[in-house]
């Protein structure tokens, strides 16, 4: 069976590419990787990407999506683009796991693709995902599927492609799919509901682990949110710590951090009390101070501009 990981990258999230690839290379060496970019790949990643023979890179993977201007989502509206892509490359694979680039995949003791194939079979649909419940109402659907979405390619796109085509070409249908949506997860739910007419309540108790560690968890924080890890990960904190330590045993992560800046990776190691070499620590402490200086200068500039307008 031919399996692939797929991630859609926009903005400055390309900084996670080296760490996303590292996790997959270590734990799923036989799987392909499809990277979809909203722009051209920055030159600094060219050699890295070329070193992965099973990597398929698609640049400028955004169609003429004027409909994006019609919606105001929490987070970037363009996140919904990944749910309506119709790419011939998908047909090369039996299964595709659509995930976030800021997740580093780790050893869970089971195979991600086998797990989702079994869950899809149990759910009676050609995809594996979880319907999010309403806050404080665990038995009520929020009308959202999560952004981590596994599909059985042939069965999924046989029914999804006509829905996507209708979304792109029929304005009334498009408005129906987008109506009352606040997140891209609502859009995915509505598309899948239109294609498969699934029972949302039946997917409330499905499992949707990160299959590793979500690096976004440390973004903007000065601590590690243990509760969120326990709620979303099949890996406990001690195992997470041990695995990240082992990955860096030969300075693999240290070398990447020096070459490809990613503060989220650095602070993940820091908050787990995993020692880093002095040159890595110095680099990221300097970057942090520089960030605070830039913020301060922006505040001063804005205050001065406001004063001049008076």
């Amino acid at each position: 069976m031919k399996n692939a990981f797929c991630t859609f990258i926009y903005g400055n999230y390309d900084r996670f590419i080296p760490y996303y690839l590292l996790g997959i290379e270590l734990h799923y060496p036989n799987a392909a990787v499809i990277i979809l970019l909203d722009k051209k790949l920055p030159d600094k990643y060219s050699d890295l990407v070329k070193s992965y023979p099973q990597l398929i890179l698609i640049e400028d993977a955004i169609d003429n999506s004027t409909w994006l201007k019609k919606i105001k989502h929490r987070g970037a509206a363009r996140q919904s683009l990944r749910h309506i892509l119709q790419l011939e490359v998908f047909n090369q694979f039996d299964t595709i796991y659509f995930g976030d680039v800021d997740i580093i995949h780790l050893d869970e003791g089971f195979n991600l693709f086998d797990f989702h194939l079994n869950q899809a079979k149990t759910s009676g649909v050609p995809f594996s995902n979880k319907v999010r419940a309403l806050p404080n109402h665990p038995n009520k659907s929020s009308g959202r599927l999560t952004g981590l979405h596994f599909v059985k390619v042939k069965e999924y796109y046989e029914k999804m492609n006509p829905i996507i085509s209708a979304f792109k070409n029929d304005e009334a249908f498009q408005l129906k799919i987008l109506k009352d949506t606040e997140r891209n997860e609502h859009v995915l739910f509505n598309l899948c509901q239109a294609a498969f007419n699934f029972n949302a309540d039946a997917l409330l108790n499905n499992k949707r682990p990160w299959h590793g560690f979500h690096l976004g968890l440390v973004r903007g924080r000065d601590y590690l949110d243990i509760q969120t890890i326990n709620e979303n990960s099949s890996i406990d904190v001690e195992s997470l710590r041990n695995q990240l330590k082992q990955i860096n045993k030969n300075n693999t992560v240290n070398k990447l951090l020096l070459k490809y800046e990613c503060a989220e990776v650095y602070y993940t190691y820091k908050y787990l009390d995993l020692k880093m070499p002095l040159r890595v620590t110095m680099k990221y402490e300097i970057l942090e101070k520089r960030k605070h200086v830039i913020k301060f200068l922006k505040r001063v500039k804005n205050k001065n501009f406001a004063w001049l307008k008076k």
Side-chain angles (χ1 to χ4, degrees):
M1 182 168 283
K2 296 184 69 176
N3 304 315
F5 290 85
C6 182
T7 191
F8 181 80
I9 303 172
Y10 57 93
N12 64 0
Y13 270 51
D14 51 45
R15 67 185 185 276
F16 294 105
I17 289 175
Y19 310 94
Y20 177 75
L21 292 176
L22 175 63
I24 294 172
E25 180 186 41
L26 290 173
H27 303 293
Y28 294 93
N30 296 321
V33 180
I34 305 168
I35 290 182
L36 310 172
L37 279 168
D38 70 339
K39 58 185 179 182
K40 298 296 182 185
L41 181 74
D43 291 340
K44 62 182 176 181
Y45 301 114
S46 296
D47 290 340
L48 177 73
V49 165
K50 290 175 184 176
S51 69
Y52 286 81
Q54 296 194 85
L55 190 151
I56 300 169
L57 174 68
I58 300 177
E59 299 171 303
D60 297 319
I62 296 181
D63 57 9
N64 184 23
S65 303
T66 55
W67 58 271
L68 281 174
K69 299 176 182 178
K70 303 176 185 177
I71 56 177
K72 294 182 180 180
H73 281 171
R74 296 180 185 177
R78 73 180 72 180
Q79 289 177 348
S80 295
L81 283 167
R82 55 184 167 175
H83 307 315
I84 61 157
L85 292 174
Q86 295 170 297
L87 300 176
E88 187 62 34
V89 68
F90 292 164
N91 296 323
Q92 297 179 23
F93 303 99
D94 299 300
T95 70
I96 298 177
Y97 177 71
F98 293 91
D100 294 345
V101 71
D102 53 350
I103 289 178
I104 181 167
H105 291 279
L106 299 170
D107 181 10
E108 302 172 274
F110 59 85
N111 183 281
L112 176 157
F113 295 97
D114 291 342
F115 170 87
H116 284 292
L117 277 171
N118 290 332
Q119 183 161 263
K121 182 178 180 180
T122 301
S123 300
V125 289
F127 65 88
S128 175
N129 202 331
K130 174 184 174 68
V131 170
R132 292 193 189 275
L134 285 171
N136 303 317
H137 296 282
N139 297 317
K140 290 186 178 181
S141 166
S142 66
R144 293 164 56 194
L145 284 164
T146 79
L148 306 181
H149 194 59
F150 170 91
V151 305
K152 297 168 68 177
V153 174
K154 186 174 185 297
E155 295 174 47
Y156 183 81
Y157 283 105
E158 276 180 352
K159 290 192 174 182
M160 184 56 79
N161 273 334
I163 299 300
I164 294 174
S165 294
F167 178 89
K168 291 180 177 179
N169 301 308
D170 184 335
E171 187 174 2
F173 182 73
Q174 183 183 105
L175 290 173
K176 180 182 177 181
I177 294 294
L178 296 177
K179 184 180 179 181
D180 299 326
T181 60
E182 296 181 355
R183 299 175 184 270
N184 76 89
E185 294 179 347
H186 289 111
V187 176
L188 177 60
F189 180 96
N190 291 346
L191 289 168
C192 286
Q193 192 61 261
F196 307 108
N197 192 29
F198 65 94
N199 180 357
D201 291 343
L203 273 61
L204 281 168
N205 294 317
N206 272 9
K207 303 296 182 184
R208 186 244 39 175
W210 287 334
H211 299 298
F213 180 69
H214 202 309
L215 295 163
L217 191 62
V218 302
R219 194 177 303 124
R221 293 190 175 100
D222 57 3
Y223 65 95
L224 199 61
D225 188 341
I226 304 300
Q227 181 179 342
T228 300
I229 294 175
N230 291 336
E231 291 174 352
N232 291 276
S233 180
S234 56
I235 302 168
D236 61 34
V237 175
E238 189 58 31
S239 177
L240 169 65
R241 188 178 188 278
N242 290 336
Q243 288 198 52
L244 291 180
K245 182 179 181 179
Q246 184 63 30
I247 289 173
N248 201 23
K249 187 176 181 180
N250 295 319
N251 290 313
T252 302
V253 177
N254 293 334
K255 292 174 183 176
L256 288 175
L257 283 170
L258 289 170
K259 189 171 184 179
Y260 306 107
E261 291 176 8
C262 186
E264 288 87 347
V265 174
Y266 170 74
Y267 283 108
T268 295
Y269 273 78
K270 181 178 179 178
Y271 297 158
L272 286 168
D273 294 322
L274 293 170
K275 291 184 178 180
M276 309 294 283
L278 181 60
R279 58 179 176 163
V280 174
T281 301
M282 290 287 291
K283 177 184 178 70
Y284 284 87
E285 293 301 322
I286 290 171
L287 287 173
E288 182 68 16
K289 289 178 180 178
R290 184 185 300 166
K291 184 174 74 173
H292 288 302
V293 169
I294 291 172
K295 283 184 177 180
F296 172 76
L297 292 175
K298 282 183 178 179
R299 285 199 300 269
V300 171
K301 182 180 179 181
N302 291 337
K303 285 182 178 179
N304 289 338
F305 182 72
W307 180 81
L308 288 171
K309 288 178 67 177
K310 291 181 179 180

